[in-house]
Amino acid sequence: MVGRMARIAFILLCHKDPDAIIKQAQSLTAVGDYMAIHFDARAKPDAYRKIRAALDGNPNVTFAKKRVKCGWGEWSLIRATLNAVQAAVDAFPRATHFYMLSGDCMAIKSAEYAHQFLDSRDVDYIESFDYFQSEWIKTGWKEERLIYRHWFNERTQKGRFYAMFAVQKHLGLTREIPQDIEVMIGSQWWCLRRRTVEMILEFTERRRDVMRFFSTTWIPDETFFQTVVRHLVPREEIDGRTLTFLMFTDYGMPVNFYNDHYDLLIRQDFLFARKISPEAKELKRRLGVLYASQGEHFEISNEGQSLFKFLTGRGRIGRRFAPRFWETEASFGRERELLIVVCKKWHVAKRLLERIRQTTNIPVIEYLFNEEGTWLPDLGNIQTSLSKRHRHRRSLMRMLFDYFETDRLIVCIDPSDLNLLEDFCRDRSVTRLLEIECQFSDDYLIGHASRVGLAGDRTPKDTLGALLPAIRLDIEHESDRIRDAGFANLGRMRESDPPEANARVLADFLSVSYDKAMEIIQADYLFAD
């Protein structure tokens, strides 16, 4: 081609799996492209040191000068992106395009093809739909994301998040959108030209009012860049699409790609794909080789979306793309860790989970298989009833891992649900159990009998007296069955044990320090009825 060949500076936001990040950076920069990395400040320091040690000598890799603690739906994601973009602009003056990536993305074309593709049109690639007129948001909040201020994280500080929303709504404390700004919405996976990125950085310094506005909107990674680009760049210079191929299930969860999806992926009219499963080692190897190849010809069929809808709607026919194309495998994932708190006294387990929620960043879900009213995110219809949750238990758990974008998740399960425990412990993920052994007074057992319908207000005392030993024996039997099952990773906290002993058990369960575990369990009311 005549003229300057495109050179891409990849903007990588990541928070885990340092080995995969190192490989991704080495693969993408080996052909002359660049990468600016922001590694979440919440992540383990050892992981960040490992990445720096491996990549500091690579002249085509730079790092955000300031790392921030990122949270889903927060402004922190935009701040981290801007920090990485600024680092890339400063370090790579020859970069012509800036491409937003995550650690789950991989190239599905060669670098040669990607460069020629970007050189062929002088445009920015970013989804940018009218926030209020489009149907990009199909369910849930729309105007509320913007006109109210959101200071807390909806996933980790749910009580504060909704309390502040309720107060503002009750008092009518709404706010105006900056008058010259038309809010847009779209995918956060964009590819922008250098002059556009430089205009954005200048805009962030000049328009503090817009920055203040977006800093307290909810899920700004779907609106900030989409709005600012449309504000700064003429419409004819914007291609309103993403160059990253991703698909969602009917439940709104991203589809994972596996080893058997290579042929499908390279035929899509995109440069990258998300999400590549951590377990798809062969797919990652083949795509890495593909990016460095030359003279590769790609037949674009772009059938991914329509084929996925057909197969999910009617079941898989024949052997094309192998079984997992139409349904992600039943396992949660080999690299994931499911932590299960087992306790008959639900209020004790809930208190422990609340303490864990306050002191760690591990997502927690209460008795989702036992209480209909347990809070769950909107996963389509799969979470709407206890029967559906049990019937689709593995799919539900995998969706929760994906929803929270985490490899560690804590749930509560009643000790009577031995089948659930056995099923989850057979998974290829790491499953850890923490049984909380409580003491049961007669008053508590009477209340329990009333809650489960074994007794009522008019039940005679002599009947209750005969019933209590049977209930106590039944609870003990449930605990014995758990012990007899021979679970590999089973710890036990006892109400009768001193805090020091329980802290050691909790530290092993959570993989945290002894001091952190002591901080969690030192609440005097933990076992109170």
Side-chain angles (χ1 to χ4, degrees), residues 36 79 83 110 133 156 183 278 298 346 365 389 444 490 526:
R79 185 69 268 167
N83 290 353
S110 64
Q133 300 301 319
T156 60
V183 179
F298 295 91
W346 292 3
I365 299 287
R389 296 176 202 171
Y444 177 84
L490 173 62
L526 184 62

Side-chain angles (χ1 to χ4, degrees), residues 352-406:
L352 179 65
L353 258 65
E354 182 58 30
R355 293 289 298 154
I356 294 171
R357 193 202 312 268
Q358 293 170 356
T359 54
T360 73
N361 61 354
I362 308 173
V364 300
I365 299 287
E366 294 174 356
Y367 286 87
L368 70 165
F369 295 105
N370 305 106
E371 283 189 303
E372 193 94 55
T374 296
W375 178 87
L376 287 169
D378 185 357
L379 305 174
N381 290 320
I382 198 170
Q383 86 289 350
T384 53
S385 68
L386 287 177
S387 61
K388 287 184 178 180
R389 296 176 202 171
H390 278 270
R391 189 162 63 248
H392 305 291
R393 60 185 68 166
R394 286 180 173 244
S395 295
L396 174 64
M397 296 309 299
R398 191 170 187 112
M399 285 186 212
L400 287 172
F401 277 109
D402 290 339
Y403 175 83
F404 287 108
E405 296 185 345
T406 184

Side-chain angles (χ1 to χ4, degrees), residues 36-47:
I37 299 174
H38 179 279
F39 194 69
D40 195 337
R42 292 185 190 275
K44 295 179 180 179
D46 288 346

Side-chain angles (χ1 to χ4, degrees), residues 200-240:
I200 291 172
L201 292 175
E202 189 273 333
F203 179 89
T204 63
E205 295 295 325
R206 177 169 47 86
R207 292 297 301 271
R208 294 296 182 179
D209 59 325
V210 176
M211 298 294 280
R212 283 194 299 271
F213 173 78
F214 277 104
S215 68
T216 51
T217 60
W218 189 41
I219 322 181
D221 53 316
E222 294 179 349
T223 55
F224 176 77
F225 287 101
Q226 297 78 357
T227 299
V228 174
V229 170
R230 181 61 71 89
H231 182 76
L232 297 173
V233 178
R235 285 177 181 255
E236 59 270 19
E237 294 182 24
I238 299 174
D239 189 326

Side-chain angles (χ1 to χ4, degrees), residues 66-336:
K66 184 177 181 181
R67 296 165 60 209
V68 298
K69 294 180 178 180
C70 297
W72 185 90
E74 291 183 5
W75 172 252
S76 55
L77 291 174
I78 301 300
R79 185 69 268 167
T81 304
L82 290 171
N83 290 353
V85 167
Q86 184 67 67
V89 168
D90 293 342
F92 309 126
R94 298 180 64 189
T96 61
H97 293 77
F98 295 75
Y99 197 121
M100 184 76 179
L101 285 181
S102 77
D104 297 321
C105 297
M106 283 202 73
I108 55 175
K109 299 291 187 294
S110 64
E112 180 183 62
Y113 180 97
H115 295 156
Q116 291 174 355
F117 179 94
L118 294 176
D119 272 336
S120 65
R121 296 179 64 200
D122 187 21
V123 296
D124 296 305
Y125 294 91
I126 183 170
E127 284 190 351
S128 185
F129 303 104
D130 186 282
Y131 187 90
F132 294 100
Q133 300 301 319
S134 71
E135 295 185 359
W136 205 86
I137 300 176
K138 292 182 171 59
T139 61
W141 284 359
K142 194 167 190 176
E143 187 180 36
E144 293 88 346
R145 288 196 194 185
L146 305 178
I147 65 172
Y148 296 106
R149 297 167 179 84
H150 304 281
W151 293 282
F152 300 104
N153 187 292
E154 191 266 347
R155 292 186 176 179
T156 60
Q157 299 171 294
K158 189 171 301 295
R160 292 178 178 179
F161 179 89
Y162 286 106
M164 291 306 300
F165 168 72
V167 167
Q168 293 178 81
K169 187 175 182 180
H170 178 70
L171 297 177
L173 299 177
T174 60
R175 59 176 175 173
E176 296 291 332
I177 298 169
Q179 289 188 354
D180 63 331
I181 296 296
E182 182 182 2
V183 179
M184 312 300 287
I185 192 167
S187 167
Q188 62 268 54
W189 312 113
W190 40 255
C191 178
L192 304 176
R193 297 166 297 174
R194 185 180 192 92
R195 64 175 175 270
T196 300
V197 164
E198 290 173 342
M199 285 193 295
I200 291 172
L201 292 175
E202 189 273 333
F203 179 89
T204 63
E205 295 295 325
R206 177 169 47 86
R207 292 297 301 271
R208 294 296 182 179
D209 59 325
V210 176
M211 298 294 280
R212 283 194 299 271
F213 173 78
F214 277 104
S215 68
T216 51
T217 60
W218 189 41
I219 322 181
D221 53 316
E222 294 179 349
T223 55
F224 176 77
F225 287 101
Q226 297 78 357
T227 299
V228 174
V229 170
R230 181 61 71 89
H231 182 76
L232 297 173
V233 178
R235 285 177 181 255
E236 59 270 19
E237 294 182 24
I238 299 174
D239 189 326
R241 57 166 293 196
T242 175
L243 297 181
T244 299
F245 177 60
L246 65 164
M247 296 192 299
F248 291 89
T249 69
D250 290 339
Y251 302 119
M253 293 294 105
V255 173
N256 283 268
F257 297 110
Y258 295 90
N259 291 334
D260 40 20
H261 295 140
Y262 177 83
D263 291 333
L264 168 76
L265 291 175
I266 65 173
R267 286 203 296 269
Q268 305 311 307
D269 189 18
F270 297 85
L271 303 184
F272 280 74
R274 183 179 189 271
K275 292 182 162 186
I276 307 298
S277 169
E279 300 168 36
K281 308 295 185 185
E282 179 61 14
L283 176 61
K284 289 185 175 185
R285 185 196 66 78
R286 295 179 71 184
L287 291 177
V289 171
L290 177 67
Y291 192 69
S293 66
Q294 292 187 341
E296 193 79 30
H297 178 69
F298 295 91
E299 292 287 347
I300 305 299
S301 62
N302 227 27
E303 63 188 357
Q305 297 283 0
S306 58
L307 184 59
F308 179 75
K309 289 179 181 178
F310 168 75
L311 291 173
T312 50
R314 297 186 56 187
R316 181 176 171 272
I317 299 172
R319 306 184 67 174
R320 195 176 191 189
F321 305 126
R324 283 187 307 220
F325 179 74
W326 64 273
E327 180 178 61
T328 54
E329 65 174 13
S331 172
F332 309 147
R334 198 182 300 275
E335 298 181 4
R336 286 173 166 170

